Amino acid sequence: ANCGPSVSSAQSGRSGAVAPRSSIRTINRRRTHGSVCNHLAEMTHPSPFNLELLQAVSDWQRGGDAKQKKKRGAALKAAAISLPDSFKSSAICYRQIALDKSAVWRVGTNLNLSETISAWTQSLEAAKSIKGGVPPVGYQGVIFRIEPTPDQIVVNLASLYEDKIFRSSLEEMKAQISGYWDGAGKYGATQVEVVLDVASLPLDSIHSWGGYSSPELQLAAMFFGHTPSQTELHLFRELMEKAGHRCGPYWLSTPDAVSRVAEKLKFHAERLSNSG
């Protein structure tokens, strides 16, 4: 069929005149002709957001144990390989990791990751608050900051969810997506996520260290030099708030302080290496 341009309406020769039946039949045929051409165009240039990709995205967002993540990461990488480059670019990315305290001193100059395909975010605040924020006592929370190279980016989920065609495809096929409400239907674009394939991270990519301050009463006693009264405790809270400090869990992000901790890790790593 010839899918070239065609006249969109019958000319009556006089404004307001009613088109004859033969002209109406011609218009209907042309409309049908246009629909066929559109269908052929869709077949020639299918949407990149097929069911395989949508299922892989939703499965990835469901999470799971280490074995499931590895399998779902591989499936997502395979499904996303033909996506346009616009969905495989990103600026700065962050990731929070909870390290076992015994492993912290063995980091050295690089941290080798157990899962190479992993979830990162373009939002520092999202990285700080994910999984409940600072890991519990016994684990060392670390937030890494990197600018990924194109070959490290599996897919930018944040960019996908900004795309209207992707969102409409997801809506149209959600009934066919297994576990949709535990994955894409639950999280959507809330985590501003980018999926990266990174095997190791240099120590200088550490952006923040998680930690816990001493109890409020102990800090106030150190400040006043004696056990504080309720009035003094209230004053202490106000001073802490004005200074931008808080008791309990916190993220240490001051560049100089982060650098000092990193240097300490390098020193201990070298000492352990030499003693071995």
Side-chain angles (χ1 to χ4, degrees):
N2 177 17
C3 292
S6 59
V7 179
S8 60
S9 60
Q11 300 297 321
S12 62
R14 175 174 89 208
S15 178
V18 177
R21 290 182 180 178
S22 60
S23 297
I24 293 174
R25 285 196 295 271
T26 300
I27 293 171
N28 288 338
R29 282 198 298 271
R30 285 169 179 161
R31 286 175 177 168
T32 302
H33 173 85
S35 298
V36 170
C37 288
N38 290 338
H39 180 65
L40 288 173
E42 289 175 359
M43 291 176 65
T44 307
H45 304 287
S47 168
F49 310 130
N50 53 39
L51 182 58
E52 179 189 3
L53 174 71
L54 299 178
Q55 183 68 65
V57 168
S58 187
D59 284 346
W60 174 259
Q61 291 189 282
R62 288 172 69 183
D65 58 28
K67 186 177 180 180
Q68 287 175 316
K69 286 181 179 178
K70 185 176 181 179
K71 181 179 179 181
R72 289 169 177 172
L76 179 60
K77 187 173 184 177
I81 197 167
S82 60
L83 283 175
D85 291 342
S86 57
F87 300 114
K88 296 181 180 180
S89 62
S90 178
I92 303 300
C93 291
Y94 302 91
R95 185 186 180 196
Q96 182 197 139
I97 297 178
L99 298 175
D100 184 284
K101 282 289 182 71
S102 63
V104 171
W105 301 111
R106 295 182 177 87
V107 170
T109 56
N110 283 281
L111 173 65
N112 294 316
L113 302 177
S114 58
E115 49 183 36
T116 57
I117 299 179
S118 52
W120 291 68
T121 177
Q122 293 174 312
S123 167
L124 176 58
E125 292 308 310
K128 287 181 177 181
S129 61
I130 199 168
K131 300 177 182 177
V134 176
V137 176
Y139 291 88
Q140 176 60 60
V142 184
I143 293 178
F144 288 89
R145 176 187 185 275
I146 65 171
E147 188 170 356
T149 57
D151 62 299
Q152 292 177 318
I153 302 173
V154 174
V155 62
N156 187 326
L157 294 186
S159 294
L160 274 182
Y161 277 103
E162 288 175 357
D163 189 274
K164 291 182 179 179
I165 299 176
F166 173 80
R167 294 198 305 271
S168 63
S169 299
L170 199 60
E171 179 65 25
E172 289 170 8
M173 289 189 268
K174 65 182 181 183
Q176 303 173 58
I177 299 173
S178 176
Y180 173 81
W181 293 110
D182 293 321
K186 181 178 181 180
Y187 296 104
T190 58
Q191 295 175 323
V192 202
E193 187 175 343
V194 180
V195 182
L196 302 182
D197 190 348
V198 182
S200 64
L201 295 166
L203 199 59
D204 60 11
S205 66
I206 292 175
H207 181 274
S208 305
W209 289 95
Y212 289 82
S213 70
S214 300
E216 182 184 61
L217 193 59
Q218 182 180 340
L219 289 175
M222 291 170 64
F223 180 79
F224 290 108
H226 58 263
T227 302
S229 64
Q230 286 300 315
T231 302
E232 288 173 325
L233 195 56
H234 180 72
L235 174 61
F236 179 74
R237 288 171 184 159
E238 288 183 342
L239 292 172
M240 288 283 284
E241 187 175 348
K242 287 179 181 179
H245 300 309
R246 54 178 294 182
C247 297
Y250 67 95
W251 287 104
L252 177 67
S253 301
T254 309
D256 288 345
V258 171
S259 179
R260 285 197 299 272
V261 175
E263 288 301 319
K264 187 182 293 186
L265 285 181
K266 289 180 184 178
F267 171 77
H268 279 276
E270 290 172 0
R271 184 173 59 82
L272 288 172
S273 177
N274 292 333
S275 64

